[in-house]
Amino acid sequence: MGTKVEKLKINFKTLEEFKKFKEYGLQELSMVEDLEANMVDNDIDSPFYGIYFGDKLVARMSLYQIDAKFDRYFYPPQNYVEIWKLEVLPDYQGRGYGKQLVEFAKSFGLPIKTNPRVQSRDFWERMGFTSVDYDMERDRGENPLVWYPEGVEAQHS
């Protein structure tokens, strides 16, 4: 495909591209404010990864590595990766970009957790994600899905 997942630099050009995505929100606005206040430059540690088609950003996600001590999804608690805002622009859907982003996240070799939007559940299931199996009282109105690397099995308390 010739496209690769890259860590996105936080600059006005990137943020301008982000406006085309539905999931544009507080996170991006706070980055814009930081930039406008000149507190940051391109080296800000961006949680965003994306795929460019030519010079157009066509897919993106934010990826956070979460420390085991904050883990409420896995048992026993472990370091994991959380995917937010995985989104492919409508004209570029169905070309494997979403899958490419997920494969990139899997390459860290850590369990992954995500909260899918309703209509994207099939996609995540095709990527090998399953529902978190734990007591409902811990479910804070989320419907998280998780994925385990090869050889790391889901354990139940």
Side-chain angles (χ1 to χ4, degrees):
M1 211 159 38
T3 50
K4 65 182 199 322
V5 175
E6 44 194 282
K7 194 174 178 94
L8 301 178
K9 289 192 159 77
I10 294 301
N11 55 30
F12 285 114
K13 186 174 176 298
T14 304
L15 287 160
E16 204 46 48
E17 295 272 341
F18 281 174
K19 288 181 181 165
K20 301 176 183 137
F21 290 84
K22 279 209 244 10
E23 296 273 288
Y24 185 87
L26 292 173
Q27 188 182 19
E28 291 81 354
L29 291 169
S30 72
M31 289 175 179
V32 171
E33 284 169 7
D34 288 349
L35 282 173
E36 285 171 345
N38 295 324
M39 288 161 28
V40 298
D41 51 33
N42 273 341
D43 299 335
I44 183 175
D45 193 31
S46 156
F48 284 103
Y49 293 82
I51 297 173
Y52 282 93
F53 184 81
D55 57 359
K56 183 183 167 81
L57 183 66
V58 297
R60 71 161 197 184
M61 67 178 167
S62 39
L63 207 57
Y64 295 94
Q65 292 203 41
I66 311 288
D67 199 279
K69 64 175 176 280
F70 301 113
D71 178 8
R72 343 184 279 254
Y73 300 97
F74 300 101
Y75 181 85
Q78 49 197 295
N79 295 337
Y80 69 96
V81 173
E82 181 151 15
I83 297 177
W84 284 84
K85 296 192 175 185
L86 184 128
E87 199 177 340
V88 178
L89 292 179
D91 292 351
Y92 294 86
Q93 288 169 9
R95 299 192 196 182
Y97 294 130
K99 180 175 193 287
Q100 207 179 335
L101 287 172
V102 174
E103 294 298 339
F104 178 83
K106 288 179 175 180
S107 71
F108 286 89
L110 293 169
I112 301 173
K113 177 228 157 201
T114 190
N115 290 340
R117 296 204 295 285
V118 181
Q119 65 276 37
S120 66
R121 202 180 166 94
D122 290 356
F123 165 79
W124 292 103
E125 286 171 353
R126 285 199 307 275
M127 296 289 109
F129 282 70
T130 53
S131 292
V132 173
D133 182 17
Y134 57 90
D135 12 342
M136 292 313 291
E137 72 211 342
R138 290 177 63 194
D139 189 343
R140 303 166 162 79
E142 298 174 313
N143 191 353
L145 294 179
V146 291
W147 173 85
Y148 293 92
E150 198 85 13
V152 178
E153 281 315 306
Q155 296 183 29
H156 307 295
S157 40

